[in-house]
Amino acid sequence: MNMEYSKKFFFTVAFLLPAMIAGAQEKNKMTHEMTEFYSPEVPVVTPGSTIDGGGFTAPSDAIILFDGKDLSKWESAKGGAALWKVHDGVVTVDKSTGDIQTKDKFNDFQLHIEWCVPKDIEGSSQARGNSGIFLQGMYEVQVLDSYENKTYVNGQAASIYKQAVPLVNAMRKPGEWNVYDIIYKAPDFKEDGSYRNYPRVTVIHNGVVVQNDTEIRGTTEFIGLPRIVKHGAGPIRLQAHGDPSKPISYRNIWIRNL
Ligand code: MG
């Protein structure tokens, strides 16, 4: 479909615009229909509806990754079944069983995901509701209780961990649901393994833009600088962080390939 639009755009630039310029003096001979096109039509998508305290449910063209019932779309990052606990329409991180990731792999996407820090959370800085969403399994959008909880700013909620500080802190308090909408553009690589185009990400946190087309510099590293590691399509991976605070929960996870 995009190809069709590209063709239209090319046609417009290559043929129509020069014709329009050349014919500027003959403007009166043009009609409005000459600069309007009707095909291919824009696909119709039925949007989801909002849910209590959260964001939109999946639109009709999304892949539903978690709808509150089971983890059939997920596996353990170590291999085998995803063992986090599903209950009451949510999935709660099980720190003892490690990260989970989608079975499917993705390139460019729009990801919707909601997360909730327990109301009675304790701890401070990075040891307070720490989890994370790894894009293509490589690049972490931080999940943390950053409601009145100071930490290094490039490690607070909605940071690209250790790389990019969020524009604002749009946290809801513990016990309430936070919503991330993440628009991600995958990198491509030169033959030597370096980026031709860096990965890029926009993050909307509770309706607020917090990462605006941010360039990701490389892998997420706790110690040291980002590394450039050539990769292809990858999963969405959710972090089972080892901090001792009570585990957070996720719900309403869906993705659209772009
Ligand atoms: Mg984390």
Side-chain angles (χ1 to χ4, degrees):
M1 199 62 83
N2 286 336
M3 198 59 160
E4 287 302 312
Y5 282 114
S6 298
K7 281 187 205 158
K8 286 279 184 193
F9 182 73
F10 177 76
F11 172 79
T12 303
V13 171
F15 299 105
L16 198 50
L17 280 182
M20 287 165 69
I21 293 162
Q25 298 91 332
E26 299 177 6
K27 192 177 173 187
N28 291 341
K29 291 183 181 172
M30 289 197 73
T31 65
H32 68 87
E33 291 91 343
M34 293 170 75
T35 50
E36 300 164 0
F37 60 90
Y38 288 82
S39 68
E41 289 188 25
V42 177
V44 174
V45 166
T46 308
S49 55
T50 52
I51 59 174
D52 180 33
F56 282 92
T57 57
S60 56
D61 64 346
I63 299 164
I64 296 173
L65 296 176
F66 177 66
D67 64 1
K69 297 192 182 85
D70 62 59
L71 291 175
S72 57
K73 293 281 174 64
W74 300 79
E75 61 189 7
S76 167
K78 292 184 280 196
L83 297 174
W84 292 8
K85 192 176 174 205
V86 177
H87 61 99
D88 307 313
V90 309
V91 58
T92 297
V93 177
D94 181 344
K95 299 184 187 195
S96 68
T97 60
D99 295 0
I100 66 169
Q101 64 189 23
T102 55
K103 294 174 183 172
D104 286 344
K105 293 180 166 62
F106 303 95
N107 284 301
D108 299 351
F109 57 78
Q110 173 190 353
L111 173 69
H112 178 96
I113 186 163
E114 304 186 10
W115 51 279
C116 184
V117 174
K119 199 171 183 176
D120 55 351
I121 191 80
E122 293 180 339
S124 63
S125 187
Q126 294 287 306
R128 187 178 170 94
N130 198 332
S131 182
I133 301 156
F134 283 79
L135 314 177
Q136 293 195 303
M138 305 289 289
Y139 313 112
E140 183 184 10
V141 177
Q142 176 69 307
V143 168
L144 186 76
D145 179 19
S146 286
Y147 185 84
E148 298 178 350
N149 174 37
K150 283 212 185 315
T151 187
Y152 41 95
V153 295
N154 59 344
Q156 71 179 62
S159 64
I160 307 306
Y161 185 73
K162 290 268 180 110
Q163 294 189 35
V165 180
L167 295 169
V168 294
N169 181 344
M171 276 296 294
R172 291 195 176 122
K173 62 187 175 195
E176 298 181 0
W177 284 90
N178 283 273
V179 180
Y180 279 169
D181 288 287
I182 298 172
I183 299 112
Y184 175 76
K185 182 96 175 62
D188 54 26
F189 293 86
K190 298 177 187 169
E191 289 225 337
D192 66 4
S194 62
Y195 289 126
R196 177 176 289 110
N197 292 294
Y198 284 77
R200 307 191 75 92
V201 67
T202 293
V203 180
I204 300 168
H205 184 187
N206 296 327
V208 180
V209 174
V210 288
Q211 298 286 346
N212 181 14
D213 194 28
T214 299
E215 185 173 86
I216 298 173
R217 303 302 298 177
T219 57
T220 298
E221 303 292 336
F222 179 47
I223 297 170
L225 299 173
R227 293 177 302 123
I228 297 173
V229 177
K230 196 173 182 180
H231 65 86
I236 304 300
R237 176 158 61 88
L238 302 181
Q239 184 183 43
H241 192 276
D243 85 76
S245 67
K246 284 197 174 174
I248 71 152
S249 297
Y250 289 97
R251 75 175 184 189
N252 190 22
I253 310 173
W254 50 264
I255 196 165
R256 297 176 63 244
N257 285 306
L258 299 177

